[in-house]
Amino acid sequence: MTAKNQRLVLALLAVAAIVAAALLALSALKDQAAFFYAPSDVKRDGVPVGRAVRLGGMVEKGSVARAEDGVTVRFTVTDGQATTPVTFAGIVPDLFREGSGVVAEGSFRPDGAFVATNLLAKHDEKYMPPELAKTSAGTMHETKSLTK
Amino acid sequence: MTRLVDFSPWPLRHVHANVAFPAPCHISTFTVPALHAFANPARFLRIAKPLTPVLTWLGIALVAIGSWVGLTLTPPDYLQGDTVRIMYIHVPTAWLGMGGWSGIAISSIAFLVWRHPLAAIAARAIAAPGATFAALCLVTGSIWGRPTWGTWWQWDGRLTSMLLLFFVYVSYLALARADAEREGDGRIPAIFGIAGTILLPIIRYSVVWWNTLHQGPSIGLTKSTIAGAILWPLPIVLTGATLFFAGVVLMRMRTLLARAKAEARLRRMARA
């Protein structure tokens, strides 16, 4: 083996080790690096009442209701396994709608409901023109990352 | 066996000083003769000079055509409306921001293994356009995020790892420059170039393995979740941006080579 081949092997081993380290770190940080908790995470692990967290999932179809005061919105966030009731007082993002992804920033109340101080709409990876969306309306928002 | 960790610098004076040093690759034992032909700086310049304007202008033309088509001919998205059109800039910049670092990593490996200075110059030349494209990716993503998510910025896995890549680019630029100014042998920037590769799988898989605000990958090897009517201009801008990027890299490589030549001449004059 010439010195050049040794260096080549060494460099390729270094790259393989770096990529493997990255993939290990990715899977190890799966829970810590999560941007939000899904309702089933909350159900399984529990989140202390009052701690500022993010809750993410799909806005359950037919769950959005406006309170009499006109600014408070109530809806249910689901990930297909568990659901969490959410209340939010304020302006919802344009892309906030039933059956679509949402990330709510806020905290849990003692009764298990989530009080959001800010809502973010989560877009999925599907892009389509309006006429196409009408034909496949049933499944278009079902993203892998939000429904487990 | 001592040569396993012997990363001696390339410059020829070392070769003359040390007879035991393996012969420079282009003289004897290069294993890939076809590639080796381009590693000769004089031959590289002969090819790069006419190629630079071709790549650059063809790239600009394709980006212009693709952007025009993307702004006028394609339909809006059912949910995002016209905001979806930012994709025609955002995706190519993200692609080249990450692709640029792959180029730095490959050039760095080539430099460490074959010790050819042209590989180090290629890595240095990629860094500035790579950093620019990574920054453009962050900016266009932010502009897309405001109407879509309702926020300019969130510290989610994808956004944060891409910001880190931008910082790593900037660090690489500073490191490579400092190394060149102190007449270093280029090994430290090359090792940094390989180490930085750690970010590429993290960026790629952040949206798959972590909960993130950023959506999962839309474009896979075989299929895409973007409807054809919206997707089709993307390959045009992607090709155009890649050609433009390559043109800029060739331009910068020629500049760096010219500068090295001028500095060597100045040094010779100072000595005489």
Side-chain angles (χ1 to χ4, degrees):
Chain A
M1 204 185 217
T2 65
K4 197 161 52 213
N5 287 343
Q6 285 175 348
R7 288 199 299 272
L8 180 60
V9 168
L10 200 65
L12 292 180
L13 280 178
V15 171
I18 283 168
V19 171
L23 295 181
L24 274 176
L26 270 167
S27 60
L29 284 172
K30 214 164 191 169
D31 297 326
Q32 286 89 332
F35 184 66
F36 54 79
Y37 291 104
S40 59
D41 297 336
V42 175
K43 197 175 158 192
R44 192 182 62 238
D45 304 329
V47 176
V49 169
R51 183 191 286 176
V53 292
R54 295 193 198 90
L55 176 77
M58 315 295 276
V59 181
E60 198 162 52
K61 288 222 173 82
S63 73
V64 177
R66 243 172 223 289
E68 287 87 53
D69 63 5
V71 288
T72 307
V73 187
R74 282 175 222 285
F75 57 93
T76 312
V77 168
T78 177
D79 62 356
Q81 290 176 1
T83 59
T84 307
V86 178
T87 62
F88 172 68
I91 299 164
V92 300
D94 287 350
L95 267 66
F96 174 85
R97 54 196 73 190
E98 291 183 354
S100 193
V102 72
V103 175
E105 296 175 325
S107 57
F108 280 96
R109 279 197 320 225
D111 65 356
F114 190 82
V115 182
T117 53
N118 189 28
L119 287 188
L120 301 170
K122 185 175 181 338
H123 195 270
D124 64 16
E125 63 272 18
K126 290 172 186 159
Y127 293 46
M128 61 186 100
E131 51 271 27
L132 195 68
K134 277 182 205 136
T135 59
S136 58
T139 55
M140 63 190 177
H141 304 293
E142 302 293 324
T143 65
K144 194 172 49 188
S145 51
L146 288 180
T147 47
K148 299 198 172 177
Chain B
M1 274 314 283
T2 51
R3 283 194 193 127
L4 185 64
V5 286
D6 170 24
F7 281 119
S8 310
W10 162 259
L12 278 172
R13 57 178 189 271
H14 291 260
V15 180
H16 293 309
N18 177 5
V19 187
F21 189 85
C25 53
H26 66 274
I27 294 176
S28 63
T29 58
F30 203 90
T31 44
V32 195
L35 268 179
H36 158 237
F38 300 100
N40 177 326
R43 191 169 302 162
F44 165 80
L45 283 175
R46 265 206 306 283
I47 298 163
K49 200 177 174 191
L51 205 56
T52 308
V54 173
L55 290 176
T56 313
W57 287 110
L58 195 62
I60 289 174
L62 283 178
V63 168
I65 292 168
S67 305
W68 173 253
V69 163
L71 283 171
T72 57
L73 294 187
T74 57
D77 180 64
Y78 75 106
L79 205 55
Q80 308 165 52
D82 285 328
T83 315
V84 69
R85 302 180 197 283
I86 295 172
M87 168 181 87
Y88 302 121
I89 300 297
H90 180 68
V91 174
T93 54
W95 155 265
L96 285 165
M98 292 172 69
W101 197 274
S102 318
I104 290 179
I106 292 167
S107 308
S108 299
I109 292 174
F111 175 70
L112 286 180
V113 174
W114 289 286
R115 291 180 179 159
H116 201 285
L118 208 54
I121 284 169
R124 259 191 93 183
I126 292 168
T132 310
F133 276 73
L136 280 173
C137 168
L138 290 165
V139 169
T140 52
S142 181
I143 293 171
W144 180 82
R146 183 66 191 85
T148 312
W149 296 331
T151 179
W152 296 105
W153 182 264
Q154 288 290 322
W155 295 100
D156 93 327
R158 171 56 74 81
L159 276 59
T160 309
S161 53
M162 194 66 200
L163 182 67
L164 276 179
L165 179 66
F166 172 70
F167 289 152
V168 166
Y169 265 120
V170 175
S171 324
Y172 179 87
L173 277 167
L175 190 63
R177 194 193 179 112
D179 184 78
E181 276 175 1
R182 290 166 189 216
E183 293 177 33
D185 53 25
R187 275 186 296 147
I188 289 169
I191 289 167
F192 186 80
I194 293 174
T197 316
I198 194 164
L199 277 172
L200 298 182
I202 292 180
I203 295 172
R204 172 66 179 78
Y205 289 104
S206 57
V207 294
V208 180
W209 291 3
W210 293 341
N211 278 343
T212 51
L213 185 59
H214 194 288
Q215 66 270 26
S218 289
I219 301 166
L221 275 181
T222 50
K223 62 186 176 114
S224 156
T225 54
I226 301 175
I230 293 177
L231 184 68
W232 70 270
L234 195 57
I236 302 175
V237 277
L238 217 48
T239 312
T242 309
L243 293 179
F244 176 73
F245 191 94
V248 172
V249 169
L250 286 186
M251 239 181 262
R252 289 187 50 77
M253 284 180 74
R254 289 166 58 202
T255 312
L256 289 169
L257 280 170
R259 187 183 293 160
K261 208 169 160 187
E263 276 168 5
R265 189 170 296 170
L266 281 175
R267 233 176 286 135
R268 268 202 310 278
M269 283 166 69
R271 234 178 288 147

